[in-house]
Amino acid sequence: MGKLKMRSFGSLQKHVFSIICLAASVGSASQGRPGSAVFNVLDYGAKGDGKTNYSGAIYLKPNIDFHLEKGAVLLGSSNEEDYGPCADALVNAVDAPNVSVTGGGEINGNASSFMKELRPGGDIYTSKWQSLRTLDEDGLLGQRVDLWRNHRLWFIADSGYLIDGFEKRPGTHAWQGEHLGKWLHAATLAYQVTGDEKLKKELDSMVNRLIATQLPDGYLGTYPEEARFMNVPENEDPKLVTDDIETKKTRQRRYRGGWDTWTFRYNLYGLLTYEKYFPNEQVVEACRKMADLLIKTYGTDKSDLTKYGTRKGISATTLLESIVMLYERTSDKKYLDFAEEIVRMSENNPGLRLMGTMLNKGSVVHPGEGKGYQLMANVLGYLRLYRCTGNENYLKTVTYAWNDIHKNHILVTGGPWSRKMPYNGNAECFARTDAFNPEKVRVEGCCDATWIQLNVHLFELTGQAKYMNEAELTLLNDLYGHQHRGGKEWCYFTKPNEAEMPYQDRFHCCGSSMPRGMEMYSDHLAGTIGENLSINTLFPAAIQVANRFGGGRIRIKGKFPLESSAEIHIETIKKKKFTLEFRLPANTSLSNVKVNGKQTKAKENARGFLELTRTWRKGDLIAVDMDFDLKASVQLGEEKTKWVAFNYGPHALAQKITAIPGEEPFSGMNEKETSKMLRMLSKSSDSDIAFSIKGTDVTLIPYYMACTEHSGPRTYFKL
């Protein structure tokens, strides 16, 4: 019998290692002769993380002893494509007599990658919509995401700022530690598209260096010993807590804290994202140690997490999502218990009480003083809790919060707006609608990113097109408006009406958050839901297709969103009959759809996608023509002033300005006269996505185009 032997492996170089060919060689070498031929997979280029080999399907030939030495782990790939079209398992033996599996090693099928969550009772609760791998982005989407990948990503990685606060404690800023976790999240997703080995090496290095700084008690932060959350678990002196917004004057004060648990939140998130794609038990163990230290400090009958940090603890309780992520990875119920303990502490704090407020149909202005970014980050935690427990109150908390934010706090650009008012904490807090003034409200970049995240995760759960429409609207308009076209600089805040964009290259939280939103959108360009192949964008891109849909790829071509058409090219390997669904962008209606040049009727399903069912073959072409709808939105604001703004398809429209103009072309018009306002707009002769306002010199263009280093947007016009 031939012996295929696995030992411990050297440094990880490839995510997937297939030994189908090796197994075939072993079978051929050993068949028909006595004795044993031993083949060590190390001799055939196997690479792992020190003990683990990552593999697709393995097919054993007759007369094979598949031997795993003690300490060796065969871990199934998390990528469905690595198993081929016929595999039933990780290790397969078909018509193969005289085979055996021996040794003290471990075969791990990596089931957690295919089961999104395990409820405490053991029932599987999966998301409806599952992503397929994005191979490439083109057009505007590709240009903008590449600005981050080629510039800002390396600008901050090469600076030393990501890791210095951990390796040279204390750090130089109260929340310096957040940046590495955010970078790991975005950069890991970027690598899944680019396959850039330089980036992979940098990811591995950052993870290893971060873990190396963890102290024996589990501490993995940037604070001096006396300021760490274990030693100051609740605020003893508010003057020692760094406010959410710091001025140049307050930044010069002595080192202050209040954000240590915030660093843990992003360490856990970043490390667990990395480990999802590059399984590594050392990373999981580091996360366990962090969480165990948090439980030791804030677990049942311990200190109150909501009394740590700012805004009634709403920044500290953002830990909720990351703790649930650890539960999802480990299935260790103590982490789920701790997550629900965080909820209990939140509900017992009258100034926070997010779930209770939402279940009573209250406003997001009140919990945690309405701190927009952190409130939405808490909502993400409730969404994950629902996915793990099935508790409907958690889902209601999410949907009621989403409804309130969407109705009362989202600009036509998709940006969640905030404003400092007497009843809230600062300029990053949600305000009531009667505080709206487009020259005074702001959009924090972190809010853009977190709103995109919330919509993407709700879309995964429900498959509802409306959530991805919102994510796309925010990305295309508000987030792109925050991003400088040179790639390094980002705006911390923007205003819907401002004459100059406040770009900065400093390492602020928003510059680290917004790439996460970009990468999450790129990670959801296409997927599967039930028996459907789901096309979730019309931006030019290439997406890998699952084998059950014929393998190969789908390629989207065209100039969307600069044009209202797109082509979906089928480049599959095998012909297959299935339903292909595609999503139209916000404020868009279908003009016609053709398959291979023939007019075809697409049926809209209950989730808002358009379906086409047929036997698909390589070379099939779907041509989609849309109508961008012109829409006017009226906003009531400060001192009962009314404002109007316009969308054209997925674009928010704005005037490009260098000073706030005094001319108000819609002044004196009634808020109900939106049809008359729309008739005042006529398409410009030189662009299909620009409009002139009749009787004026005002031209409206896509919002992000008005945002440059020399100009800003005027999005809202006074009635």
Side-chain angles (χ1 to χ4, degrees), residues 207-453:
V207 168
N208 291 333
R209 290 171 68 183
L210 176 62
I211 292 175
T213 69
Q214 190 168 39
L215 301 180
D217 64 356
Y219 183 75
L220 190 54
T222 63
Y223 279 25
E225 185 173 0
E226 67 275 9
R228 292 171 190 161
F229 70 84
M230 311 91 73
N231 298 320
V232 191
E234 299 177 2
N235 298 337
E236 296 179 355
D237 183 354
K239 294 180 181 179
L240 297 179
V241 177
T242 307
D243 191 25
D244 309 89
I245 298 179
E246 287 194 292
T247 64
K248 291 182 179 179
K249 182 178 179 181
T250 58
R251 279 198 292 268
Q252 293 171 356
R253 295 178 185 173
R254 69 186 182 84
Y255 194 92
R256 296 177 301 158
W259 294 85
D260 211 12
T261 58
W262 179 259
T263 293
F264 270 47
R265 182 266 199 280
Y266 281 107
N267 278 344
L268 287 164
Y269 198 113
L271 288 172
L272 288 169
T273 300
Y274 170 89
E275 201 275 339
K276 174 183 175 181
Y277 293 96
F278 311 110
N280 186 327
E281 287 299 327
Q282 287 182 311
V283 173
V284 178
E285 182 59 25
C287 292
R288 281 182 173 273
K289 290 171 68 176
M290 278 189 284
D292 290 348
L293 181 59
L294 288 165
I295 292 172
K296 182 178 179 181
T297 307
Y298 295 111
T300 304
D301 297 327
K302 303 292 184 180
S303 296
D304 186 345
L305 181 63
T306 70
K307 294 181 180 179
Y308 181 80
T310 63
R311 315 284 161 235
K312 317 302 180 185
I314 197 169
S315 297
T317 55
T318 61
L319 275 168
L320 180 62
E321 183 186 21
S322 299
I323 294 298
V324 181
M325 289 172 67
L326 183 59
Y327 167 68
E328 291 170 348
R329 174 59 182 85
T330 64
S331 298
D332 190 332
K333 193 173 180 296
K334 70 178 176 181
Y335 301 126
L336 181 62
D337 291 342
F338 181 49
E340 298 201 294
E341 177 66 15
I342 293 174
V343 172
R344 186 194 65 78
M345 287 185 277
S346 173
E347 290 304 290
N348 285 339
N349 185 329
L352 185 49
R353 199 169 175 265
L354 176 58
M355 182 167 71
T357 302
M358 292 301 101
L359 293 180
N360 288 327
K361 302 292 185 71
S363 168
V364 294
V365 170
H366 302 298
E369 299 180 359
K371 186 65 169 63
Y373 168 25
Q374 281 88 331
L375 187 145
M376 289 187 286
N378 274 265
V379 172
L380 285 168
Y382 284 91
L383 180 56
R384 284 191 182 268
L385 264 180
Y386 168 70
R387 287 162 59 154
C388 289
T389 66
N391 185 330
E392 291 293 330
N393 282 336
Y394 295 147
L395 182 59
K396 289 178 181 178
T397 298
V398 176
T399 54
Y400 292 166
W402 187 92
N403 289 337
D404 185 36
I405 295 168
H406 182 254
K407 179 181 178 182
N408 297 313
H409 304 283
I410 299 294
L411 302 172
V412 295
T413 62
W417 65 270
S418 58
R419 184 180 175 187
K420 173 72 175 76
M421 298 300 288
Y423 50 79
N424 64 19
N426 59 33
E428 297 175 358
C429 295
F430 287 130
R432 294 192 288 262
T433 54
D434 61 6
F436 180 81
N437 183 320
E439 296 174 18
K440 296 179 181 179
V441 302
R442 301 181 180 188
V443 177
E444 181 189 2
C446 291
C447 283
D448 275 347
T450 312
W451 179 242
I452 290 173
Q453 284 182 272

